Every structure is written in structure tokens, then in C-alpha cells.
Amino acid sequence: MPNNNVFNPLNLPVYTSNTNTYISPGIVAPPENNAGSTGNLYNAGSTNSTTLGLLGGTVIATVQLANPAGSGKTLHVSRLSGGITVALNLLSSFSGSMSLTANGTLSSPSTLTSVNSNLSSSNTSVAIVRFSAAPSGATPLMAMPLQAGPFLSNEFGRYVIPPGQAINLSVSGSLSVGGLMASTAYFAWWEV
């Protein structure tokens, strides 16, 4: 008679079986699925594109997602995305970074329109979304280096923005010589 292990062997993952007494099989989905179907999942972002001179420079795109005081809703960050596009005229030294910060201020911000991901919904977001090339005075939450190209970070509600708070996503790219550079930053979030 074999002596079977209670758990799977080390080279195989432990498996589970979904049991749902109401309907079988059970369905597991991220919260975005329900938020999208009820018309409470939104997107907003923008791009800053500049032709740099012979000495190069830095191009920054910052999007601030703010929940106004007294909104009665809480924002949950679903996804961070964006990237850096580079068209070089000469060989150059490139560096890029992404940072996520709380609160802070934006110099000369422009207001962005948030888009509902449920195209048949008439719901509008309570969030105030702004874009700027010059953020300052924020509390760092996360930072990482970026290569040229797109990035995507699924957050699944990991960052929560209660009324009266804001979160900023900054994407920065630098060249040591001339070229065309564009930095892009986008938020996706749901509201409850």
C-alpha cells in the first residue's frame, strides 16, 4: 500500500479546489471586473513630448489622482502604466525612472478628463486628475528605474486614496545629447 504525501512534492505547486455551495464551479476574478461592469472603473493620463537640444535634457510627465475632501468615495488604484519613447539624433546616454508619491504639489497643472472603462455607463468620476511636468513636495511611496519602452504595474487596489488625499505617478527620461523624447503616465482606478 503506498504512503502518499499529504502535500504535493516540492517540484509541483500545492493545488486547491474551488468549492462554492451556491453555484459550482466558483469564479474568482479581480475587483476590477465588477467595477468595470458597474461603471466605476476609470482611466486618465497624458504624455509630455519634447525635442531636446544638443546638450540633451530631461522630460517629465506627472499625473496626479486626487480625491477631493467630502467626496464620499474612496479611490483604489488598479493599474499604473506609461513609458518612455526615445528617437535619438546621435548616440546618447539614456536614463529613465518611475516614481509614485503621495500628495505634494504640481507646478502649472492642466486638468485631465477621466474616462469610464464601461463605455455604456453614464457614471462620472469624483477624482480630480491633473497633469504637470514639475511635481514637488510629495512623500515617496515607490521608485524604480525604467528602460525605454512601455511599463505596466497591476496594483489591484494596493494603493487606497481616501477623501482629501492624492497620489502622483511621475515618469522621467533623460538624454545626454539631442533627440526626441516622450514620457507617458496613466492611472486606472475604481471608486467605492
Side-chain angles (χ1 to χ4, degrees), residues 61-147:
T62 299
V63 174
Q64 182 181 70
L65 178 62
N67 190 354
S71 71
K73 295 210 174 183
T74 301
L75 313 182
H76 301 264
V77 176
S78 168
R79 181 172 297 113
L80 310 172
S81 61
I84 302 171
T85 304
V86 181
L88 298 176
N89 294 334
L90 303 167
L91 293 177
S92 174
S93 172
F94 168 80
S95 66
S97 66
M98 181 273 281
S99 65
L100 194 64
T101 57
N103 299 311
T105 57
L106 301 179
S107 295
S108 303
S110 58
T111 303
L112 301 175
T113 302
S114 44
V115 178
N116 192 319
S117 67
N118 183 336
L119 302 182
S120 66
S121 176
S122 61
N123 292 353
T124 57
S125 174
V126 299
I128 298 169
V129 187
R130 297 182 195 97
F131 174 81
S132 174
S136 63
T139 304
L141 298 173
M142 175 179 69
M144 67 174 64
L146 292 178
Q147 297 293 326

Side-chain angles (χ1 to χ4, degrees), residues 44-50 59-63 80-86 97-99 112 131-132 146-147 149-152 169-173 181-187:
S46 193
T47 298
N48 184 13
S49 179
T50 303
V59 178
I60 299 171
T62 299
V63 174
L80 310 172
S81 61
I84 302 171
T85 304
V86 181
S97 66
M98 181 273 281
S99 65
L112 301 175
F131 174 81
S132 174
L146 292 178
Q147 297 293 326
F151 76 89
L152 174 74
L169 174 61
S170 292
V171 176
S172 174
M181 179 176 290
S183 295
T184 302
Y186 266 84
F187 273 112

